[in-house]
Short mmCIF file of all heavy atoms in Angstrom, two decimals:
data_model
loop_
_atom_site.label_atom_id
_atom_site.label_comp_id
_atom_site.label_asym_id
_atom_site.label_seq_id
_atom_site.Cartn_x
_atom_site.Cartn_y
_atom_site.Cartn_z
N VAL A 383 -16.65 -8.78 76.96
CA VAL A 383 -16.93 -9.70 78.11
C VAL A 383 -15.59 -10.38 78.53
O VAL A 383 -14.81 -10.77 77.72
CB VAL A 383 -17.94 -10.72 77.69
CG1 VAL A 383 -18.31 -11.62 78.86
CG2 VAL A 383 -19.23 -10.00 77.14
N ASN A 384 -15.37 -10.50 79.77
CA ASN A 384 -14.22 -11.20 80.36
C ASN A 384 -14.52 -12.70 80.38
O ASN A 384 -15.22 -13.17 81.17
CB ASN A 384 -13.95 -10.72 81.78
CG ASN A 384 -12.87 -11.52 82.47
OD1 ASN A 384 -11.90 -12.00 81.73
ND2 ASN A 384 -12.89 -11.62 83.76
N VAL A 385 -14.08 -13.40 79.31
CA VAL A 385 -14.43 -14.76 79.07
C VAL A 385 -13.23 -15.75 79.06
O VAL A 385 -12.12 -15.34 78.85
CB VAL A 385 -15.21 -14.95 77.75
CG1 VAL A 385 -16.58 -14.34 77.83
CG2 VAL A 385 -14.45 -14.41 76.58
N SER A 386 -13.58 -16.93 79.38
CA SER A 386 -12.65 -18.05 79.18
C SER A 386 -13.34 -19.16 78.32
O SER A 386 -14.59 -19.17 78.19
CB SER A 386 -12.24 -18.72 80.49
OG SER A 386 -13.31 -19.36 81.13
N GLU A 387 -12.54 -20.09 77.75
CA GLU A 387 -13.15 -21.18 77.04
C GLU A 387 -12.60 -22.49 77.53
O GLU A 387 -11.46 -22.56 77.95
CB GLU A 387 -12.93 -20.98 75.53
CG GLU A 387 -11.57 -21.28 74.98
CD GLU A 387 -11.34 -22.78 74.60
OE1 GLU A 387 -12.34 -23.43 74.12
OE2 GLU A 387 -10.27 -23.27 74.78
N THR A 388 -13.51 -23.42 77.50
CA THR A 388 -13.07 -24.79 77.81
C THR A 388 -13.59 -25.70 76.69
O THR A 388 -14.77 -25.58 76.29
CB THR A 388 -13.64 -25.29 79.15
OG1 THR A 388 -13.18 -24.44 80.22
CG2 THR A 388 -13.31 -26.66 79.40
N SER A 389 -12.75 -26.55 76.09
CA SER A 389 -13.19 -27.35 74.98
C SER A 389 -12.51 -28.73 75.11
O SER A 389 -11.41 -28.87 75.68
CB SER A 389 -12.86 -26.73 73.69
OG SER A 389 -11.50 -26.41 73.53
N LEU A 390 -13.10 -29.73 74.45
CA LEU A 390 -12.55 -31.08 74.48
C LEU A 390 -13.26 -31.89 73.36
O LEU A 390 -14.35 -31.59 72.97
CB LEU A 390 -12.66 -31.73 75.86
CG LEU A 390 -14.04 -31.59 76.59
CD1 LEU A 390 -15.15 -32.32 76.05
CD2 LEU A 390 -13.84 -32.07 78.07
N PRO A 391 -12.64 -33.07 73.04
CA PRO A 391 -13.31 -33.93 72.16
C PRO A 391 -14.52 -34.59 72.85
O PRO A 391 -14.57 -34.76 74.02
CB PRO A 391 -12.27 -35.01 71.83
CG PRO A 391 -10.96 -34.45 72.20
CD PRO A 391 -11.27 -33.53 73.31
N ILE A 392 -15.58 -34.90 72.06
CA ILE A 392 -16.72 -35.60 72.65
C ILE A 392 -16.31 -37.09 72.67
O ILE A 392 -16.30 -37.77 71.66
CB ILE A 392 -17.99 -35.38 71.86
CG1 ILE A 392 -18.38 -33.93 71.84
CG2 ILE A 392 -19.16 -36.26 72.41
CD1 ILE A 392 -19.61 -33.56 71.05
N ALA A 393 -15.97 -37.56 73.84
CA ALA A 393 -15.54 -38.95 74.01
C ALA A 393 -16.07 -39.49 75.36
O ALA A 393 -15.30 -39.51 76.31
CB ALA A 393 -14.01 -39.09 73.89
N VAL A 394 -17.32 -39.88 75.30
CA VAL A 394 -17.94 -40.39 76.49
C VAL A 394 -18.64 -41.72 76.11
O VAL A 394 -18.64 -42.08 74.94
CB VAL A 394 -18.96 -39.40 77.08
CG1 VAL A 394 -18.31 -38.14 77.61
CG2 VAL A 394 -20.08 -39.07 76.01
N ALA A 395 -19.14 -42.38 77.15
CA ALA A 395 -19.79 -43.69 76.85
C ALA A 395 -20.93 -43.59 75.81
O ALA A 395 -21.11 -44.40 74.94
CB ALA A 395 -20.31 -44.33 78.17
N GLY A 396 -21.66 -42.52 76.01
CA GLY A 396 -22.87 -42.35 75.08
C GLY A 396 -22.40 -42.14 73.65
O GLY A 396 -23.02 -42.62 72.72
N SER A 397 -21.33 -41.45 73.34
CA SER A 397 -20.81 -41.30 71.98
C SER A 397 -20.27 -42.56 71.45
O SER A 397 -20.42 -42.91 70.28
CB SER A 397 -19.82 -40.18 71.94
OG SER A 397 -18.68 -40.46 72.76
N ALA A 398 -19.57 -43.35 72.29
CA ALA A 398 -19.05 -44.59 71.83
C ALA A 398 -20.23 -45.59 71.47
O ALA A 398 -20.08 -46.34 70.45
CB ALA A 398 -18.23 -45.25 72.95
N LEU A 399 -21.29 -45.57 72.23
CA LEU A 399 -22.47 -46.38 71.90
C LEU A 399 -23.15 -45.85 70.62
O LEU A 399 -23.75 -46.64 69.86
CB LEU A 399 -23.39 -46.37 73.08
CG LEU A 399 -23.02 -47.24 74.29
CD1 LEU A 399 -23.80 -46.99 75.48
CD2 LEU A 399 -22.98 -48.76 73.91
N HIS A 400 -23.17 -44.54 70.42
CA HIS A 400 -23.86 -43.99 69.37
C HIS A 400 -23.31 -44.45 68.03
O HIS A 400 -24.11 -44.71 67.05
CB HIS A 400 -23.77 -42.37 69.45
CG HIS A 400 -24.60 -41.73 68.39
ND1 HIS A 400 -24.20 -41.53 67.12
CD2 HIS A 400 -25.80 -41.10 68.47
CE1 HIS A 400 -25.13 -40.90 66.45
NE2 HIS A 400 -26.07 -40.59 67.23
N GLY A 401 -21.96 -44.48 67.91
CA GLY A 401 -21.42 -44.91 66.68
C GLY A 401 -19.94 -45.31 66.83
O GLY A 401 -19.21 -44.68 67.61
N ASP A 402 -19.52 -46.29 66.16
CA ASP A 402 -18.09 -46.71 66.19
C ASP A 402 -17.28 -45.54 65.58
O ASP A 402 -17.66 -44.96 64.59
CB ASP A 402 -17.90 -47.97 65.35
CG ASP A 402 -18.73 -49.17 65.82
OD1 ASP A 402 -19.24 -49.06 67.00
OD2 ASP A 402 -18.94 -50.09 65.05
N ASP A 403 -16.19 -45.29 66.25
CA ASP A 403 -15.29 -44.19 65.73
C ASP A 403 -16.02 -42.80 65.73
O ASP A 403 -15.73 -41.95 64.89
CB ASP A 403 -14.75 -44.46 64.33
CG ASP A 403 -13.98 -45.79 64.24
OD1 ASP A 403 -13.21 -46.05 65.21
OD2 ASP A 403 -14.14 -46.56 63.29
N TYR A 404 -16.91 -42.59 66.69
CA TYR A 404 -17.55 -41.36 66.85
C TYR A 404 -16.54 -40.25 66.98
O TYR A 404 -15.64 -40.37 67.86
CB TYR A 404 -18.54 -41.35 68.07
CG TYR A 404 -19.38 -40.14 68.25
CD1 TYR A 404 -20.72 -40.10 67.95
CD2 TYR A 404 -18.86 -38.96 68.73
CE1 TYR A 404 -21.53 -39.04 68.16
CE2 TYR A 404 -19.65 -37.76 68.92
CZ TYR A 404 -20.94 -37.82 68.63
OH TYR A 404 -21.75 -36.76 68.83
N THR A 405 -16.65 -39.15 66.28
CA THR A 405 -15.73 -38.03 66.38
C THR A 405 -16.59 -36.79 66.62
O THR A 405 -17.45 -36.42 65.86
CB THR A 405 -14.89 -37.80 65.12
OG1 THR A 405 -14.17 -39.07 64.89
CG2 THR A 405 -13.95 -36.71 65.25
N GLY A 406 -16.26 -36.09 67.71
CA GLY A 406 -16.99 -34.79 68.05
C GLY A 406 -16.17 -33.89 68.83
O GLY A 406 -15.03 -34.28 69.30
N TRP A 407 -16.68 -32.67 68.97
CA TRP A 407 -15.95 -31.66 69.76
C TRP A 407 -17.03 -30.79 70.48
O TRP A 407 -18.06 -30.57 69.95
CB TRP A 407 -15.15 -30.79 68.79
CG TRP A 407 -14.33 -29.70 69.41
CD1 TRP A 407 -13.13 -29.76 70.03
CD2 TRP A 407 -14.67 -28.25 69.38
NE1 TRP A 407 -12.75 -28.52 70.39
CE2 TRP A 407 -13.64 -27.59 70.04
CE3 TRP A 407 -15.77 -27.65 68.96
CZ2 TRP A 407 -13.70 -26.20 70.25
CZ3 TRP A 407 -15.82 -26.22 69.03
CH2 TRP A 407 -14.74 -25.54 69.72
N ALA A 408 -16.67 -30.26 71.67
CA ALA A 408 -17.55 -29.42 72.44
C ALA A 408 -16.77 -28.29 73.09
O ALA A 408 -15.62 -28.47 73.42
CB ALA A 408 -18.30 -30.25 73.48
N GLN A 409 -17.49 -27.16 73.22
CA GLN A 409 -16.91 -26.01 73.83
C GLN A 409 -17.88 -25.23 74.58
O GLN A 409 -19.02 -25.09 74.22
CB GLN A 409 -16.30 -25.13 72.75
CG GLN A 409 -15.62 -23.82 73.28
CD GLN A 409 -15.35 -22.84 72.19
OE1 GLN A 409 -16.23 -22.36 71.49
NE2 GLN A 409 -14.05 -22.47 71.97
N ILE A 410 -17.49 -24.78 75.83
CA ILE A 410 -18.27 -23.74 76.59
C ILE A 410 -17.49 -22.49 76.67
O ILE A 410 -16.20 -22.49 76.82
CB ILE A 410 -18.68 -24.23 77.91
CG1 ILE A 410 -17.46 -24.66 78.77
CG2 ILE A 410 -19.72 -25.34 77.81
CD1 ILE A 410 -17.84 -25.02 80.22
N VAL A 411 -18.12 -21.32 76.61
CA VAL A 411 -17.53 -19.97 76.75
C VAL A 411 -18.13 -19.43 78.01
O VAL A 411 -19.41 -19.26 78.11
CB VAL A 411 -17.78 -19.07 75.58
CG1 VAL A 411 -17.13 -17.73 75.74
CG2 VAL A 411 -17.21 -19.75 74.28
N VAL A 412 -17.36 -19.08 79.00
CA VAL A 412 -17.84 -18.67 80.29
C VAL A 412 -17.48 -17.16 80.55
O VAL A 412 -16.40 -16.71 80.37
CB VAL A 412 -17.18 -19.51 81.42
CG1 VAL A 412 -17.53 -19.04 82.80
CG2 VAL A 412 -17.53 -21.03 81.25
N ASP A 413 -18.52 -16.51 81.01
CA ASP A 413 -18.38 -15.09 81.49
C ASP A 413 -17.74 -15.22 82.96
O ASP A 413 -18.45 -15.69 83.88
CB ASP A 413 -19.75 -14.38 81.60
CG ASP A 413 -19.66 -12.94 82.09
OD1 ASP A 413 -18.71 -12.60 82.80
OD2 ASP A 413 -20.51 -12.18 81.79
N GLU A 414 -16.53 -14.88 83.06
CA GLU A 414 -15.83 -15.10 84.35
C GLU A 414 -16.28 -14.14 85.44
O GLU A 414 -16.05 -14.46 86.62
CB GLU A 414 -14.30 -14.99 84.11
CG GLU A 414 -13.70 -16.18 83.31
CD GLU A 414 -13.81 -17.47 84.13
OE1 GLU A 414 -13.93 -17.46 85.33
OE2 GLU A 414 -13.80 -18.55 83.46
N ASP A 415 -16.82 -13.03 85.06
CA ASP A 415 -17.27 -12.08 86.08
C ASP A 415 -18.60 -12.53 86.70
O ASP A 415 -18.84 -12.36 87.92
CB ASP A 415 -17.42 -10.70 85.48
CG ASP A 415 -16.16 -10.09 85.09
OD1 ASP A 415 -15.11 -10.44 85.59
OD2 ASP A 415 -16.18 -9.28 84.13
N ARG A 416 -19.48 -13.12 85.88
CA ARG A 416 -20.77 -13.58 86.42
C ARG A 416 -20.85 -15.11 86.58
O ARG A 416 -21.81 -15.61 87.18
CB ARG A 416 -21.90 -13.16 85.43
CG ARG A 416 -22.02 -11.63 85.29
CD ARG A 416 -23.21 -11.32 84.41
NE ARG A 416 -23.06 -11.82 83.05
CZ ARG A 416 -24.05 -12.36 82.36
NH1 ARG A 416 -25.26 -12.51 82.85
NH2 ARG A 416 -23.78 -12.78 81.11
N LYS A 417 -19.84 -15.82 86.07
CA LYS A 417 -19.83 -17.30 86.26
C LYS A 417 -21.04 -17.95 85.59
O LYS A 417 -21.71 -18.79 86.22
CB LYS A 417 -19.57 -17.71 87.68
CG LYS A 417 -18.30 -17.38 88.31
CD LYS A 417 -17.16 -18.04 87.62
CE LYS A 417 -15.80 -17.71 88.24
NZ LYS A 417 -14.62 -18.31 87.56
N VAL A 418 -21.36 -17.47 84.37
CA VAL A 418 -22.41 -18.08 83.59
C VAL A 418 -21.94 -18.42 82.17
O VAL A 418 -20.94 -17.77 81.75
CB VAL A 418 -23.71 -17.20 83.58
CG1 VAL A 418 -24.24 -17.00 84.99
CG2 VAL A 418 -23.35 -15.85 82.89
N LEU A 419 -22.61 -19.27 81.48
CA LEU A 419 -22.29 -19.52 80.09
C LEU A 419 -22.77 -18.40 79.18
O LEU A 419 -23.88 -17.88 79.32
CB LEU A 419 -22.91 -20.82 79.65
CG LEU A 419 -22.51 -22.08 80.41
CD1 LEU A 419 -23.34 -23.27 79.84
CD2 LEU A 419 -21.01 -22.32 80.32
N VAL A 420 -21.95 -18.05 78.21
CA VAL A 420 -22.39 -17.10 77.17
C VAL A 420 -22.30 -17.72 75.78
O VAL A 420 -22.75 -17.10 74.83
CB VAL A 420 -21.66 -15.70 77.25
CG1 VAL A 420 -21.90 -15.00 78.52
CG2 VAL A 420 -20.11 -16.00 77.06
N GLY A 421 -21.69 -18.93 75.72
CA GLY A 421 -21.66 -19.54 74.39
C GLY A 421 -21.37 -21.01 74.61
O GLY A 421 -20.68 -21.49 75.48
N VAL A 422 -22.02 -21.88 73.73
CA VAL A 422 -21.74 -23.30 73.67
C VAL A 422 -21.84 -23.79 72.25
O VAL A 422 -22.64 -23.33 71.49
CB VAL A 422 -22.92 -24.06 74.51
CG1 VAL A 422 -22.65 -25.55 74.43
CG2 VAL A 422 -22.91 -23.58 75.94
N THR A 423 -20.88 -24.64 71.92
CA THR A 423 -20.86 -25.25 70.58
C THR A 423 -20.59 -26.74 70.75
O THR A 423 -19.78 -27.26 71.53
CB THR A 423 -19.70 -24.66 69.73
OG1 THR A 423 -19.86 -23.30 69.61
CG2 THR A 423 -19.68 -25.35 68.36
N PHE A 424 -21.36 -27.48 69.97
CA PHE A 424 -21.13 -29.01 69.88
C PHE A 424 -20.91 -29.23 68.40
O PHE A 424 -21.64 -28.63 67.50
CB PHE A 424 -22.39 -29.76 70.34
CG PHE A 424 -22.77 -29.61 71.76
CD1 PHE A 424 -23.99 -28.97 72.07
CD2 PHE A 424 -21.95 -29.92 72.77
CE1 PHE A 424 -24.36 -28.77 73.37
CE2 PHE A 424 -22.35 -29.76 74.07
CZ PHE A 424 -23.53 -29.23 74.40
N ALA A 425 -20.07 -30.20 68.04
CA ALA A 425 -19.87 -30.71 66.73
C ALA A 425 -19.81 -32.20 66.73
O ALA A 425 -19.05 -32.71 67.62
CB ALA A 425 -18.63 -30.14 66.04
N GLY A 426 -20.55 -32.90 65.91
CA GLY A 426 -20.57 -34.30 65.93
C GLY A 426 -21.86 -34.79 65.36
O GLY A 426 -22.79 -34.04 65.10
N PRO A 427 -21.98 -36.15 65.20
CA PRO A 427 -23.28 -36.72 64.65
C PRO A 427 -24.39 -36.43 65.54
O PRO A 427 -24.41 -36.70 66.77
CB PRO A 427 -22.98 -38.27 64.66
CG PRO A 427 -21.47 -38.28 64.51
CD PRO A 427 -20.93 -37.19 65.31
N GLU A 428 -25.47 -35.86 64.98
CA GLU A 428 -26.80 -35.58 65.65
C GLU A 428 -26.62 -34.79 66.98
O GLU A 428 -27.46 -34.93 67.86
CB GLU A 428 -27.47 -36.93 65.90
CG GLU A 428 -27.72 -37.57 64.55
CD GLU A 428 -28.61 -38.85 64.64
OE1 GLU A 428 -29.83 -38.69 64.94
OE2 GLU A 428 -28.05 -39.99 64.48
N VAL A 429 -25.73 -33.89 67.09
CA VAL A 429 -25.57 -33.08 68.31
C VAL A 429 -26.64 -32.01 68.42
O VAL A 429 -26.79 -31.33 69.47
CB VAL A 429 -24.19 -32.42 68.40
CG1 VAL A 429 -23.08 -33.49 68.58
CG2 VAL A 429 -23.87 -31.57 67.16
N SER A 430 -27.45 -31.80 67.34
CA SER A 430 -28.38 -30.71 67.43
C SER A 430 -29.44 -30.97 68.51
O SER A 430 -29.97 -30.01 69.10
CB SER A 430 -29.13 -30.56 66.08
OG SER A 430 -29.77 -31.82 65.76
N GLU A 431 -29.65 -32.24 68.84
CA GLU A 431 -30.68 -32.57 69.88
C GLU A 431 -30.21 -32.16 71.31
O GLU A 431 -30.92 -32.27 72.26
CB GLU A 431 -31.04 -34.05 69.81
CG GLU A 431 -31.70 -34.43 68.52
CD GLU A 431 -32.99 -33.70 68.29
OE1 GLU A 431 -33.68 -33.22 69.28
OE2 GLU A 431 -33.36 -33.45 67.09
N MET A 432 -28.89 -31.83 71.41
CA MET A 432 -28.34 -31.38 72.74
C MET A 432 -28.42 -29.88 72.89
O MET A 432 -28.09 -29.33 73.97
CB MET A 432 -26.95 -31.85 72.93
CG MET A 432 -26.78 -33.36 72.96
SD MET A 432 -25.17 -33.79 73.74
CE MET A 432 -24.07 -33.11 72.61
N LEU A 433 -28.80 -29.19 71.82
CA LEU A 433 -28.61 -27.69 71.82
C LEU A 433 -29.51 -27.01 72.72
O LEU A 433 -29.14 -25.98 73.34
CB LEU A 433 -28.76 -27.18 70.34
CG LEU A 433 -28.50 -25.75 70.17
CD1 LEU A 433 -27.02 -25.40 70.57
CD2 LEU A 433 -28.69 -25.31 68.72
N HIS A 434 -30.78 -27.49 72.89
CA HIS A 434 -31.76 -26.73 73.65
C HIS A 434 -31.30 -26.63 75.12
O HIS A 434 -31.57 -25.59 75.76
CB HIS A 434 -33.16 -27.28 73.53
CG HIS A 434 -34.24 -26.30 73.98
ND1 HIS A 434 -34.35 -25.08 73.42
CD2 HIS A 434 -35.21 -26.44 74.89
CE1 HIS A 434 -35.31 -24.44 74.07
NE2 HIS A 434 -35.88 -25.26 74.92
N SER A 435 -30.69 -27.60 75.67
CA SER A 435 -30.22 -27.52 77.05
C SER A 435 -29.21 -26.33 77.24
O SER A 435 -29.23 -25.60 78.20
CB SER A 435 -29.60 -28.81 77.50
OG SER A 435 -28.51 -29.21 76.64
N ALA A 436 -28.32 -26.18 76.23
CA ALA A 436 -27.42 -25.13 76.25
C ALA A 436 -28.07 -23.75 76.10
O ALA A 436 -27.74 -22.74 76.77
CB ALA A 436 -26.35 -25.26 75.09
N THR A 437 -29.15 -23.68 75.25
CA THR A 437 -29.95 -22.48 75.11
C THR A 437 -30.55 -22.09 76.41
O THR A 437 -30.59 -20.91 76.80
CB THR A 437 -31.01 -22.70 73.98
OG1 THR A 437 -30.35 -23.07 72.78
CG2 THR A 437 -31.77 -21.37 73.72
N ILE A 438 -31.17 -23.00 77.08
CA ILE A 438 -31.80 -22.77 78.32
C ILE A 438 -30.79 -22.28 79.36
O ILE A 438 -31.06 -21.31 80.13
CB ILE A 438 -32.54 -24.04 78.87
CG1 ILE A 438 -33.72 -24.37 78.02
CG2 ILE A 438 -32.94 -23.82 80.29
CD1 ILE A 438 -34.27 -25.73 78.28
N ALA A 439 -29.61 -22.84 79.40
CA ALA A 439 -28.55 -22.46 80.35
C ALA A 439 -28.15 -21.02 80.13
O ALA A 439 -27.92 -20.23 81.08
CB ALA A 439 -27.37 -23.36 80.21
N ILE A 440 -28.06 -20.57 78.85
CA ILE A 440 -27.58 -19.22 78.50
C ILE A 440 -28.74 -18.21 78.79
O ILE A 440 -28.58 -17.22 79.45
CB ILE A 440 -27.12 -19.16 77.12
CG1 ILE A 440 -25.86 -19.95 76.99
CG2 ILE A 440 -26.87 -17.64 76.64
CD1 ILE A 440 -25.29 -20.03 75.56
N VAL A 441 -29.94 -18.52 78.34
CA VAL A 441 -31.07 -17.56 78.45
C VAL A 441 -31.35 -17.45 79.99
O VAL A 441 -31.66 -16.33 80.44
CB VAL A 441 -32.31 -18.06 77.70
CG1 VAL A 441 -33.56 -17.23 78.09
CG2 VAL A 441 -32.07 -17.99 76.19
N GLY A 442 -31.38 -18.54 80.69
CA GLY A 442 -31.65 -18.55 82.17
C GLY A 442 -30.56 -18.08 83.06
O GLY A 442 -30.72 -17.91 84.23
#
Side-chain angles (χ1 to χ4, degrees):
V383 184
N384 175 29
V385 288
S386 69
E387 76 89 34
T388 299
S389 57
L390 43 70
I392 299 178
V394 294
S397 60
L399 286 167
H400 187 282
D402 303 341
D403 301 318
Y404 185 106
T405 302
W407 180 81
Q409 179 192 60
I410 56 174
V411 179
V412 176
D413 181 335
E414 289 295 340
D415 295 333
R416 296 186 297 140
K417 293 295 181 183
V418 297
L419 299 178
V420 295
V422 178
T423 302
F424 301 116
E428 300 188 71
V429 293
S430 58
E431 296 302 330
M432 296 199 299
L433 185 60
H434 196 54
S435 57
T437 304
I438 292 169
I440 293 175
V441 171

